[in-house]
Amino acid sequence: MTTVLTPASPLTAADRCDRCGAQAYLRVVLASGGELLFCAHHGRKFEPELKKIAVEIQDESGRLSSTTAAATADDER
């Protein structure tokens, strides 16, 4: 049997943390084929243990620190 790995799709607002239900920014792919989703907070909290069991960790938490000019302009209204 041949296993083909496809790149994970970007996480969206519909993807929720398995721990608390907040928006997920980390996808952890397990060797068993399953995946876990975590918010940035819980991803950092469980990072040492997740690294032991993960085949891949998709971390999109960097999106939290980027601010668009449109969002800033909307806040000023």
Side-chain angles (χ1 to χ4, degrees), residues 24-67:
Y25 288 94
L26 281 91
R27 175 182 284 130
V28 180
V29 180
L30 306 173
S32 64
E35 69 178 25
L36 299 171
L37 300 176
F38 291 101
C39 64
H41 164 78
H42 285 112
R44 284 189 300 270
K45 181 176 180 180
F46 299 123
E47 181 180 18
E49 294 303 315
L50 291 173
K51 284 184 174 182
K52 294 177 187 176
I53 62 170
V55 172
E56 177 185 352
I57 297 178
Q58 177 183 349
D59 184 351
E60 297 183 10
S61 60
R63 296 185 324 180
L64 290 169
S65 61
S66 62
T67 306

